[in-house]
Amino acid sequence: MHVITAAEIDRVLTFPALIDALAEAFRGDIVTPVRHHHEVERSGAHGTLLLMPAWTGPATQDGYVGVKIVSVFPENGAKNLPSVLGTYMLMDGATGQPRAALDGTRLTVWRTAAASALAARYLAREDASRMVMVGAGSLAPFLIRAHMSQRPIREVALWNHRPEKAESLAAELKAQGLPVTAVADLEGAVREADLVSCATLSSAPIVEGAWLKPGAHLDLVGAFNLRMREADDEAIRRAQVYVDTQAAKHEGGDVALALKGGAIAESHVRGDLFDLCRNPIRRENEAITLFKSVGTALEDLAAAMLVWRSVAKAS
């Protein structure tokens, strides 16, 4: 069995290839049972344990079975550790023989960012050039690069509730050639943005719907449970809403909370990534669009298969 490190994943993946692989997976035949979700009681903030299985359908050639084991501990940032850690086990689809154990943390940030960019491929204006990145955690650089691979982003404003962290990450990314600038005025930045991406652990709304200009696209990645929120009800009411899977209607914050509180009806959610990939919409230029992701094992398996094939081909 091959152990695939974060560095190897970074070496073989590109966002255009991964986004295409996810699009193919959402159009294809991958089985995704309901994931196991367990609260881990700890003093202070509780942790979460996720088990996320998936396998290719019987008609798939070169099939695979996979499962991701993920832990989410929100206070890890204070210990200089990612909030999300995990391992992905990839097995042969015909025999169950283990093929590879992949760094699940790295796989997760790649596929999460790629899923948001896949949604933006259909939902963001084709001429979107100004982006706001809300949050300066481990996902932020990946989301910026993923969205830049799909839209002609020329300016990225980076905001974080701790300004010094935004400034540090902005300087790091700018040194790598990305057009990123730290900002303190979030409202002003969002009002000018064509695309706003949020990846935080906020328990209260950060982005207000009143700030979104006509034609803006809002990408909500954080708020993975019902105690978290990144956008207010007005943002969700004003937008044409899409989710990664139907699970986002009752898992995670934002859309699920808006439904639970009666701010929107279930019919306000227009579709998911299966719908967008199989029957692309015709975007209205002045429409505000919103994508909420909660993650799915389909994305993990598609990403792990792409990594494994690339590594196996090179060896």
Side-chain angles (χ1 to χ4, degrees), residues 16-267:
L18 179 55
I19 293 164
D20 286 344
L22 292 191
E24 182 180 349
F26 276 103
R27 289 191 295 265
D29 181 26
I30 291 180
V31 180
T32 54
V34 176
R35 61 186 173 188
H36 294 244
H37 187 283
H38 304 281
E39 291 297 315
V40 181
E41 293 189 6
R42 291 289 180 268
S43 58
H46 290 187
T48 304
L49 178 67
L50 299 173
L51 306 176
M52 302 174 64
W55 53 85
T56 52
T60 307
Q61 293 183 344
D62 190 25
Y64 293 92
V65 175
V67 61
K68 186 169 72 171
I69 304 169
V70 182
S71 63
V72 183
F73 283 78
E75 293 188 344
N76 275 4
K79 304 173 185 176
N80 293 319
L81 290 171
S83 299
V84 181
L85 294 164
T87 300
Y88 196 88
M89 178 67 71
L90 185 68
M91 294 160 275
D92 184 274
T95 65
Q97 180 181 0
R99 292 298 185 193
L102 296 85
D103 186 304
T105 305
R106 203 57 154 200
L107 194 74
T108 297
V109 292
W110 271 96
R111 68 80 154 150
T112 301
S116 283
L118 174 60
R121 175 185 286 182
Y122 301 109
L123 299 177
R125 286 178 56 126
E126 290 189 6
D127 61 354
S129 62
R130 290 183 173 180
M131 175 179 176
V132 172
M133 183 68 239
V134 181
S138 59
L139 260 171
F142 290 86
L143 284 162
I144 291 169
R145 288 188 170 91
H147 283 300
M148 289 185 67
S149 79
Q150 300 300 301
R151 289 295 182 265
I153 304 294
R154 298 194 312 268
E155 303 173 18
V156 180
L158 176 62
W159 181 92
N160 193 67
H161 71 286
R162 293 203 300 269
E164 67 277 6
K165 192 170 183 181
E167 291 167 4
S168 175
L169 180 58
E172 179 183 333
L173 295 177
K174 186 168 286 189
Q176 296 171 14
L178 298 178
V180 181
T181 303
V183 296
D185 178 11
L186 179 60
E187 178 182 348
V190 170
R191 286 187 180 276
E192 296 180 353
D194 303 307
L195 193 158
V196 180
S197 184
C198 301
T200 73
L201 297 174
S202 178
S203 59
I206 303 172
V207 174
E208 297 183 16
W211 301 348
L212 298 170
K213 72 177 186 179
H217 174 60
L218 179 58
D219 171 39
L220 301 175
V221 183
F224 61 84
N225 64 40
L226 294 174
R227 298 186 298 272
M228 296 178 175
R229 197 78 192 257
E230 293 187 307
D232 65 5
D233 284 341
E234 183 64 13
I236 296 168
R237 277 194 294 261
R238 292 188 68 197
Q240 296 179 359
V241 175
Y242 290 82
V243 293
D244 56 352
T245 67
Q246 294 299 302
K249 291 181 178 180
H250 53 82
E251 293 181 13
D254 297 310
V255 172
L257 289 173
L259 285 166
K260 186 177 180 181
I264 59 170
E266 189 166 347
S267 60

Side-chain angles (χ1 to χ4, degrees), residues 227-304:
R227 298 186 298 272
M228 296 178 175
R229 197 78 192 257
E230 293 187 307
D232 65 5
D233 284 341
E234 183 64 13
I236 296 168
R237 277 194 294 261
R238 292 188 68 197
Q240 296 179 359
V241 175
Y242 290 82
V243 293
D244 56 352
T245 67
Q246 294 299 302
K249 291 181 178 180
H250 53 82
E251 293 181 13
D254 297 310
V255 172
L257 289 173
L259 285 166
K260 186 177 180 181
I264 59 170
E266 189 166 347
S267 60
H268 190 74
V269 180
R270 297 192 173 204
D272 55 26
L273 279 178
F274 294 98
D275 300 316
L276 287 171
C277 292
R278 294 171 182 177
N279 299 292
I281 65 169
R282 188 169 187 174
R283 195 199 195 285
E284 304 163 22
N285 275 343
E286 297 301 297
I288 294 171
T289 56
L290 183 152
F291 174 69
K292 172 59 185 171
S293 64
V294 295
T296 170
L298 177 151
E299 297 163 358
D300 296 305
L301 180 59

